Amino acid sequence: MRILLCGGAGYIGCHTYTVLVERGHQVVIADNFANSSPQVLARLEQVTGKPVPFHPLDMRDRPGVDAFFARQTFDAVVHFAALKAVGESCERPLDYFENNISGTIYLLQAMRAAGVPRLVFSSSATVYGEPESVPVREDAPLRVTNPYGRTKLVMEELIGDVCRADPHFRAANLRYFNPVGAHASGLLGEDPSDTPSNLMPYICQVAVGRREKLRIFGGDYPTPDGTGVRDYIHVMDLARAHADALDYLVNEDRNLTVNLGTGRGISVMELVHAFAKASSREVPYEIVDRRPGDAAEVYADPALAQRLLGWRAELDVDAMCRDAWRWQSMNPYGYAAGRVEEDRVEEAVSLV
Ligand code: NAD
Ligand code: UDP
């Protein structure tokens, strides 16, 4: 298939790119680098051994999105492009609605006009808010607790309405739990532009010496060791699920909404210890107050993804920590240390 990855230069998008190329697809990346680095393109070329077709595109630029789709044909789009910081979404809700929701509307309109028949959408476990019970199944109540989550829920609903209006349009909503880890090469990984708000990148930056200590938000949750429990999933397992979802849309010709997690809850403390073991580094920490809005325990029931896609997570928490550490120790300051090769970006643009 010829597949467009909107937001494909980001953390999950670039790992997914490697899997899709490995499976023989022709893949194009579109991104505005709002939260990623052009250096990713050079890294992807290194990993895949092939030039990386890239198109600079801001999903908020409706004429630009239309013009791009008018010139290109795709069998499917994977839509990663979104702003994703929960705290920031509370401070700047309108920017989040514009970027995530308007961007998705323009994308869907351009896809419809160009006759692109399939969409895989990056949704999130955040649509479940604080779940009533765990493991969380796809039919659990949806109740979001912040503007970022609201954009994900609205986008799922928009996509559902488009599917109902056009019985030939196919879409997959993939509800990611907590993606962590990195490509085994150490060349690709998570590179937050600001102070990390997520746990794993924060731990990585403490271990590599960029930050003094981790603050563990809450030690008095009703969990086995008192710290919050989440379902961490290796980004390469997640990447593989996108390829499987695309196959499902083609072969089964049905729409899909599935959880992508391991089904295993890991506490903050367990992750800290697993990371210290995998990296042979100390991870100094202190336990502080709970972070407002955090649930005690969230982990997936991934049975539906296994039944429909034949997909299940294969990499365990030790592999997640080992690969995250390889990436961080090989790239202590992320992609920034690499040279931004403008001519490489231009070359990538010429390949689309
Ligand atoms: P990321 O920020 O690394 O990647 C998103 C990419 O989209 C970036 O390269 C960014 O530059 C691009 N982008 C954003 N707005 C854009 C726009 N208007 N036009 C063009 N490109 C734009 O994030 P990620 O972790 O790779 O997440 C990918 C998707 O998965 C997002 O939709 C996110 O909400 C969702 N998700 C992420 C997590 C997580 O913990 N990482 C969990 C659940 C869901
Ligand atoms: N967490 C923490 N310190 C941090 C960041 C996160 O203790 O610096 C905890 C947080 O309270 C939660 C878990 O780690 O229990 C995962 O948080 P993250 O923000 O990575 O994911 P989310 O809360 O969105 O599931």
Side-chain angles (χ1 to χ4, degrees):
M1 280 192 273
R2 185 167 154 80
I3 302 167
L4 176 68
L5 307 188
C6 295
Y11 171 48
I12 301 168
C14 72
H15 289 83
T16 302
Y17 178 91
T18 67
V19 172
L20 293 174
V21 168
E22 209 169 274
R23 291 212 192 167
H25 296 296
Q26 217 190 322
V27 192
V28 173
I29 292 178
D31 207 299
N32 67 351
F33 298 126
N35 194 39
S36 51
S37 160
Q39 186 68 23
V40 169
L41 304 177
R43 294 290 180 90
L44 282 174
E45 188 172 326
Q46 237 179 305
V47 168
T48 60
K50 290 182 196 155
V52 178
F54 171 73
H55 185 79
L57 187 63
D58 188 326
M59 306 310 295
R60 294 168 301 182
D61 169 18
R62 184 172 179 180
V65 174
D66 285 345
F68 179 61
F69 275 89
R71 288 198 310 273
Q72 302 283 328
T73 44
F74 295 104
D75 299 298
V77 171
V78 187
H79 182 29
F80 301 101
L83 299 176
K84 62 164 187 176
V86 171
E88 189 182 61
S89 80
C90 298
E91 287 154 23
R92 295 168 33 208
L94 292 171
D95 291 343
Y96 272 66
F97 297 148
E98 182 191 26
N99 193 82
N100 297 1
I101 299 176
S102 299
T104 300
I105 293 172
Y106 302 155
L107 172 66
L108 286 165
Q109 279 169 328
M111 287 175 69
R112 309 298 305 122
V116 181
R118 299 171 196 95
L119 176 73
V120 173
F121 173 64
S122 297
S123 189
S124 169
T126 193
V127 296
Y128 299 116
E130 185 155 1
E132 268 164 22
S133 61
V134 283
V136 187
R137 281 179 15 167
E138 289 79 357
D139 55 5
L142 304 180
R143 43 173 168 220
V144 292
T145 56
N146 56 67
Y148 165 69
R150 201 158 354 266
T151 68
K152 287 290 162 190
L153 190 52
V154 169
M155 290 185 281
E156 276 200 12
E157 286 170 349
L158 278 175
I159 292 164
D161 285 338
V162 171
C163 289
R164 275 182 285 279
D166 178 354
H168 300 295
F169 187 72
R170 292 283 165 263
N173 292 315
L174 305 183
R175 294 179 179 159
Y176 311 156
F177 278 65
N178 293 59
V180 296
H183 192 266
S185 63
L187 293 170
L188 302 169
E190 188 170 12
D191 181 20
S193 45
D194 286 323
T195 306
S197 53
N198 293 119
L199 179 62
M200 183 64 111
Y202 206 104
I203 293 178
C204 285
Q205 293 193 5
V206 171
V208 85
R210 282 173 64 178
R211 300 191 187 275
E212 195 192 329
K213 64 180 163 198
L214 171 71
R215 288 180 311 140
I216 295 182
F217 299 138
D220 58 353
Y221 282 108
T223 58
D225 64 22
T227 65
V229 166
R230 294 291 183 275
D231 188 339
Y232 299 95
I233 172 162
H234 198 293
V235 68
M236 292 308 292
D237 276 332
L238 198 61
R240 190 165 44 81
H242 293 74
D244 294 342
L246 284 161
D247 289 345
Y248 180 89
L249 296 183
V250 173
N251 298 332
E252 301 300 321
D253 200 18
R254 298 178 67 149
N255 300 319
L256 177 75
T257 296
V258 285
N259 289 338
L260 295 176
T262 62
R264 183 168 171 230
I266 305 269
S267 74
V268 175
M269 204 58 96
E270 277 180 276
L271 193 69
V272 168
H273 289 315
F275 192 93
K277 189 170 137 232
S279 63
S280 307
R281 293 273 172 131
E282 293 275 310
V283 181
Y285 64 81
E286 66 174 325
I287 296 180
V288 300
D289 286 348
R290 294 181 182 191
R291 185 169 64 179
D294 272 357
E297 217 177 3
V298 187
Y299 57 92
D301 179 340
L304 189 64
Q306 174 154 17
R307 185 154 62 77
L308 298 181
L309 303 180
W311 172 92
R312 62 182 295 177
E314 287 168 1
L315 298 165
D316 65 10
V317 68
D318 294 331
M320 297 176 208
C321 292
R322 183 196 63 217
D323 291 340
W325 175 240
R326 186 185 298 110
W327 152 254
Q328 193 70 61
S329 53
M330 283 172 64
N331 308 271
Y333 287 88
Y335 295 109
R339 206 156 44 91
V340 177
E341 296 163 69
E342 295 299 344
D343 49 339
R344 289 288 273 285
V345 174
E346 267 170 41
E347 188 188 312
V349 170
S350 72
L351 294 167
V352 177

